[in-house]
């Protein structure tokens, strides 16, 4: 007999060779019908895999993240089979599950594929799925695996197999199809009830621009047609809220091929919006005891060698800048933290002077392949709302919690109410990915977990998501469409103080290492604005919106009064502009609605006669004929609802 421990701590005894599906049935037949994948002792297995030792078992349904991963990975196999049957001679490479759906990278040779072909491929996939073919794993020797794909002339699978150890290679079979695969499938194809191919794109083999460009086919699948219909509706809503579309319509930012891909240009309205975001955070930071610093856009290569960033990013980033002086090399700044370490190092500190909190809106540069660039969310140059806190170990807990308070203040002021916290820790299977001692990592990870608990955050622990120099607390925000974004991060770092030999004099008159906290509530200005645009649909909080009101003249006869109203609004610190074009009032209102201006101030004969204004809200609500003082009070009250004072 073997003992199986379930997630709730229950231990159940079974005969050796029991499968996850057997365990599920022992819980309830109804539950078992929904189980599609499993994890045993931190390893993904099939629900039909025999279990022969004691251990911990997690059973996944479609409602679990890992259940969806198995469902979509299995669907990629069905896509691959459909492509092989419809396009004989294609060469398959890899087909993973992704956050929403799956893809398969395929070498189509002389053949091609477009969205016009999607319907036929989807039909073939559903035909295969209806066959209810079991997914079956089997071990294969390296020799046999190579022989199979060499006979097919598939150099991609051959390359993958050559990098695997004999005895670790497995194939997955279903129907008449076989694929190189590590596992993690649903029981059979029949569970796949709805399929939609979403797009095709070019993708270099193994992400290397020197390799051949393959065709990446993206798709998504569901266990019910209703869920696919809902997802497609969500996609349509997302298109309307696409920050690239809204950014253009609202005249916030643009891109230029001459300037370069991934390098946004902020237009006047966008620059003003950015400035308000910066000033909002600067005001809160000042209350929290931060000092602003400014660092250059480049640094000597040696700086990033010391920090470890060069070893991590050097080969895949912008290449060194050489000067006329032999041997002198600079790099575009990929991170602000090494510069802040050097600012700390400018003079000795006593424990009485800590913590030191240095903040900067610092622009950094990281090379992204052109295919990975996406509006403001993936760029090559971006500005981080970066700060680094240097404190004693005794101050770490309080400082970390105060940063959490600042992040929550930012979210509350910008309408992000639905979020969870993710404690990102090391991948225990790959310790070589990280720098620093095990002891310091354990201290840092525990400090973050304790702070999250004490602050009452709804948090999860994710292994393998830590930065290479330290664990972090990431805030995962859900937007208005239910999509999850990583926004705001706080990291504990014992490693950079070691690398830069940072010290302070303690009460014992000896030198000690400070602890470093990295934090960025926005993450980057570019990405934050993109997410905020899509979350609000361009209807920013009133305190942030570029123009809070627009004055609309019914005719040119009332222009002088309109100018007077504009001046009075500005005296009340209401951001406004005037539209005195020779257009109908209906057209002016429609265009103001499209520009998402919160208030339209209508000026005509009655308004001028009474010395008042007629106000219409974005969306159509009429506030009637009111005084400018009354309107100012309405604006102030609306702002107070979202923009609280940071304490």
């Amino acid at each position: 007999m073997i003992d199986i421990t379930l997630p709730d701590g229950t231990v159940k005894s079974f005969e050796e060779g029991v499968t996850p599906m057997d365990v599920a049935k022992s819980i309830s037949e109804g539950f078992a019908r929904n189980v599609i994948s499993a994890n045993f002792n931190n390893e993904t297995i099939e629900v039909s895999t025999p279990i022969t030792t004691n251990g911990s078992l997690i059973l996944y349904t479609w409602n679990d993240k890992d259940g969806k991963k198995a469902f979509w990975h299995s669907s990629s196999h069905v896509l691959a089979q459909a492509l092989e049957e419809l396009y004989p001679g294609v060469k398959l490479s890899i087909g993973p599950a992704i956050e929403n759906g799956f893809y398969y990278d395929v070498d189509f040779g002389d053949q091609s594929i477009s969205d016009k072909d999607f319907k036929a491929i989807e039909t073939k996939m559903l035909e295969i799925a209806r066959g209810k073919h079991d997914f079956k794993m089997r071990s294969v020797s390296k020799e046999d695996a190579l022989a199979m794909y060499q006979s097919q002339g598939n150099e991609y699978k051959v390359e993958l197999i050559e990098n695997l150890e004999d005895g670790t290679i497995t194939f997955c079979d279903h129907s008449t199809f076989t694929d190189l695969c590590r596992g993690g499938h649903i029981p059979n194809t029949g569970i796949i009830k709805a399929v939609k191919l979403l797009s095709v794109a070019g993708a270099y083999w193994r992400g290397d621009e020197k390799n051949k460009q393959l065709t990446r086919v993206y798709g998504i699948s569901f266990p019910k047609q209703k869920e696919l219909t809902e997802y497609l509706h969500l996609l349509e809503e997302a298109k309307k809220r696409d920050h690239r579309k809204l950014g253009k319509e609202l005249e916030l930012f643009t891109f230029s091929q001459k300037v370069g891909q991934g390098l946004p240009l902020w237009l006047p309205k966008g620059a003003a919006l950015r400035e308000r975001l910066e000033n909002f955070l600067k005001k809160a930071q000042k209350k929290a005891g931060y000092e602003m610093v400014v660092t250059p856009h480049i640094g000597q290569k040696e700086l990033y060698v010391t920090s470890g960033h060069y070893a991590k990013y050097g080969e895949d980033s912008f290449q060194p800048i050489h000067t006329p002086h032999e041997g002198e090399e600079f790099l575009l700044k990929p991170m602000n933290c090494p510069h802040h370490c050097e600012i700390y190092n400018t003079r000795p500190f006593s424990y009485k002077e800590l913590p030191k909190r240095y903040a900067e809106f610092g622009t950094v540069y990281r090379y992204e392949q052109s295919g990975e660039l996406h509006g403001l969310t993936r760029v090559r140059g971006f500005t981080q709302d970066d700060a680094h806190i240097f404190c004693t170990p005794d101050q770490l807990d309080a400082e970390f919690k105060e940063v959490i308070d600042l992040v929550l203040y930012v979210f509350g002021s910008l309408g992000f109410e639905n979020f969870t916290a993710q404690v990102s820790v090391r991948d225990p299977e790959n310790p070589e990915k990280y720098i620093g001692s095990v002891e310091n990592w354990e201290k840092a990870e525990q400090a973050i977990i304790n702070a999250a608990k004490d602050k009452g955050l709804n948090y999860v622990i994710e292994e393998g998501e830590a930065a290479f120099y330290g664990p972090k607390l990431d805030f995962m925000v859900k937007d208005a469409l239910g999509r999850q974004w990583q926004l705001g991060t706080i990291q504990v770092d014992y490693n950079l103080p070691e690398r830069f030999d940072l010290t302070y004099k303690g009460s014992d008159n000896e030198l000690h290492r400070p602890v470093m906290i990295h934090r960025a509530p926005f993450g980057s200005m570019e990405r934050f604005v993109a997410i905020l645009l899509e979350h609000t649909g361009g209807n920013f909080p009133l305190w942030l919106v570029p123009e809070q009101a627009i004055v609309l003249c019914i005719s040119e006869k009332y222009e002088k009064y309109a100018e007077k109203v504009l001046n009075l609004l500005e005296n009340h610190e209401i951001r406004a502009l005037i539209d005195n074009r020779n257009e109908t009032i209906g057209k002016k209102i429609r265009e103001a609605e499209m520009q998402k201006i919160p208030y339209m101030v209508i000026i005509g004969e009655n308004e001028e006669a009474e010395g008042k204004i007629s106000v219409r809200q974005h969306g159509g609500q009429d506030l009637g004929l009111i005084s400018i003082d009354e309107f100012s009070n309405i604006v102030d009250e609306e702002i107070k609802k979202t923009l609280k004072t940071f304490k």
Side-chain angles (χ1 to χ4, degrees), residues 238-303:
K239 283 180 186 175
K240 294 175 190 173
R241 291 170 177 253
D242 190 317
H243 74 276
R244 296 166 297 178
K245 172 179 174 284
L246 291 174
K248 185 176 181 180
E249 291 171 357
L250 300 178
E251 298 177 8
L252 299 178
F253 61 88
T254 189
F255 290 89
S256 160
Q257 287 296 325
K258 285 186 179 178
V259 172
Q261 288 183 300
L263 300 170
L265 301 172
W266 291 88
L267 304 178
K269 289 181 183 179
L273 181 138
R274 254 183 76 143
E275 184 179 25
R276 273 188 288 281
L277 280 172
E278 288 185 12
N279 290 339
F280 154 74
L281 188 55
K282 282 178 182 176
K283 187 176 178 182
Q285 285 179 166
K286 189 171 182 181
K287 282 191 174 182
Y290 287 83
E291 300 171 279
M292 295 302 295
V293 297
V294 179
T295 62
H297 290 242
I298 64 173
Q300 282 206 108
K301 178 182 171 182
E302 190 57 37
L303 176 70

Side-chain angles (χ1 to χ4, degrees), residues 384-403:
Q384 294 180 306
D385 57 317
D386 226 346
H388 297 95
I389 301 166
F390 302 89
C391 63
T392 68
D394 291 342
Q395 294 167 333
L396 175 61
D397 184 65
E399 287 298 312
F400 200 92
K401 289 173 183 173
E402 284 180 18
V403 177

Side-chain angles (χ1 to χ4, degrees), residues 37-223:
S37 183
N39 181 294
F40 185 68
N41 288 344
N42 297 317
E43 183 180 337
T44 300
I45 60 173
E46 315 293 299
V47 294
S48 58
T49 302
I51 300 172
T52 56
T53 61
N54 297 337
S56 298
L57 178 68
I58 304 172
L59 300 166
Y60 299 124
T61 70
W62 163 256
N63 295 323
D64 299 306
K65 181 180 176 183
D66 285 282
K68 287 183 173 68
K69 183 177 178 181
F71 192 96
W72 286 330
H73 172 60
S74 304
S75 299
S76 78
H77 282 301
V78 176
L79 169 61
Q81 182 184 0
L83 292 175
E84 275 199 344
E85 291 184 13
L86 293 171
Y87 302 88
V90 297
K91 297 176 185 178
L92 304 173
S93 63
I94 57 170
I98 53 177
E99 186 177 1
N100 285 303
F102 54 89
Y103 69 76
Y104 217 111
D105 285 349
V106 183
D107 183 348
F108 278 88
D110 295 332
Q111 303 178 81
S112 63
I113 183 176
S114 72
D115 53 6
K116 293 175 184 176
D117 304 305
F118 286 179
K119 184 63 181 171
I121 300 168
E122 290 162 3
T123 300
K124 175 59 74 174
M125 288 179 70
L126 289 173
E127 178 189 312
I128 294 166
R130 282 192 292 270
K132 297 184 180 179
H133 306 289
D134 291 341
F135 288 98
K136 297 176 181 177
M137 297 294 296
R138 59 185 168 96
S139 295
V140 186
S141 71
K142 189 166 187 174
E143 182 182 356
D144 288 346
L146 285 171
M148 173 177 158
Y149 284 109
Q150 283 167 346
S151 69
Q152 294 178 7
N154 188 328
E155 63 270 32
Y156 310 107
K157 298 288 190 185
V158 167
E159 184 179 325
L160 293 172
I161 293 165
E162 283 174 343
N163 292 316
L164 298 175
E165 288 184 25
D166 205 355
T168 66
I169 300 166
T170 51
F171 281 176
C172 178
D173 301 318
H174 78 268
S175 181
T176 59
F177 180 76
T178 297
D179 205 352
L180 173 69
C181 188
R182 286 180 299 193
H185 305 93
I186 58 179
N188 64 72
T189 61
I191 302 168
I192 302 166
K193 301 292 187 185
V195 170
K196 182 69 179 174
L197 297 187
L198 301 172
S199 63
V200 288
Y204 293 105
W205 169 236
R206 301 207 127 174
D208 189 337
E209 291 177 344
K210 295 173 185 174
N211 290 335
K212 184 170 182 177
Q213 190 175 65
L214 306 178
T215 300
R216 179 167 292 178
V217 184
Y218 287 96
I220 196 163
S221 56
F222 293 89

Side-chain angles (χ1 to χ4, degrees), residues 286-572:
K286 189 171 182 181
K287 282 191 174 182
Y290 287 83
E291 300 171 279
M292 295 302 295
V293 297
V294 179
T295 62
H297 290 242
I298 64 173
Q300 282 206 108
K301 178 182 171 182
E302 190 57 37
L303 176 70
Y304 307 115
V305 170
T306 301
S307 69
H309 289 105
Y310 185 76
K312 186 73 178 174
Y313 297 113
E315 288 184 8
D316 299 322
S317 194
F318 290 105
Q319 295 307 293
I321 302 164
H322 298 275
T323 73
H325 189 280
E326 189 176 346
E328 192 172 47
E329 287 184 303
F330 289 84
L331 291 173
L332 287 170
K333 178 171 64 173
M335 289 277 195
N336 296 302
C337 34
H339 298 253
H340 290 193
C341 287
E342 285 301 289
I343 288 175
Y344 179 89
N345 248 346
T346 52
R347 72 173 182 85
F349 286 102
S350 158
Y351 72 97
K352 294 178 181 178
E353 297 174 280
L354 299 185
K356 297 300 292 181
R357 308 180 186 96
Y358 297 135
E360 174 181 20
F361 285 89
T363 302
V364 298
Y365 304 89
R366 297 180 200 164
Y367 180 74
E368 297 277 1
Q369 291 184 13
S370 57
E372 299 293 325
L373 298 173
H374 183 82
L376 293 181
T377 59
R378 290 292 290 270
V379 289
R380 288 171 171 168
F382 52 94
T383 301
Q384 294 180 306
D385 57 317
D386 226 346
H388 297 95
I389 301 166
F390 302 89
C391 63
T392 68
D394 291 342
Q395 294 167 333
L396 175 61
D397 184 65
E399 287 298 312
F400 200 92
K401 289 173 183 173
E402 284 180 18
V403 177
I404 291 175
D405 289 337
L406 182 62
V407 172
L408 298 184
Y409 168 68
V410 168
F411 287 178
S413 297
L414 288 155
F416 290 108
E417 304 293 346
N418 188 356
F419 63 87
T420 56
Q422 176 179 299
V423 180
S424 300
V425 298
R426 290 162 296 171
D427 177 356
E429 303 297 319
N430 294 288
E432 71 282 354
K433 286 166 57 177
Y434 310 99
I435 58 176
S437 70
V438 171
E439 181 189 3
N440 282 345
W441 270 90
E442 287 174 351
K443 276 190 207 170
E445 288 170 349
Q446 199 54 52
I448 293 177
I449 291 167
N450 291 343
K453 277 182 185 173
D454 292 349
K455 278 292 172 185
L457 296 179
N458 177 18
Y459 74 93
V460 294
I461 297 174
E462 289 287 348
E463 291 184 344
E465 294 297 318
F468 74 96
Y469 51 81
K472 55 183 179 169
L473 183 67
D474 291 321
F475 289 85
M476 314 304 288
V477 173
K478 276 196 175 178
D479 68 11
L481 296 180
R483 298 171 301 180
Q484 188 164 276
W485 302 88
Q486 189 264 311
L487 262 189
T489 186
I490 317 170
Q491 301 175 356
V492 176
D493 186 354
Y494 287 89
N495 292 310
L496 284 188
E498 289 275 356
R499 285 176 165 257
F500 282 91
D501 194 23
L502 307 184
T503 60
Y504 67 90
K505 189 168 280 189
S507 56
D508 57 1
N509 224 27
E510 297 292 328
L511 292 179
H512 300 271
R513 290 266 183 256
V515 183
M516 189 173 175
I517 300 174
H518 306 245
R519 52 110 282 210
F522 292 146
S524 81
M525 301 304 292
E526 287 72 13
R527 190 167 180 275
F528 189 84
V529 168
I531 295 167
L532 187 61
L533 260 173
E534 299 199 5
H535 177 56
T536 63
N539 297 305
F540 294 115
L542 189 57
W543 66 267
L544 180 63
V545 72
E547 284 102 14
Q548 295 166 324
I550 185 167
V551 181
L552 306 177
C553 290
I554 288 177
S555 83
E556 59 187 29
K557 286 192 294 183
Y558 310 110
E559 280 185 16
K560 282 190 178 177
Y561 181 59
E563 292 285 353
K564 180 182 176 183
V565 167
L566 182 65
N567 289 333
L568 289 169
L569 292 175
E570 288 173 348
N571 289 341
H572 282 81

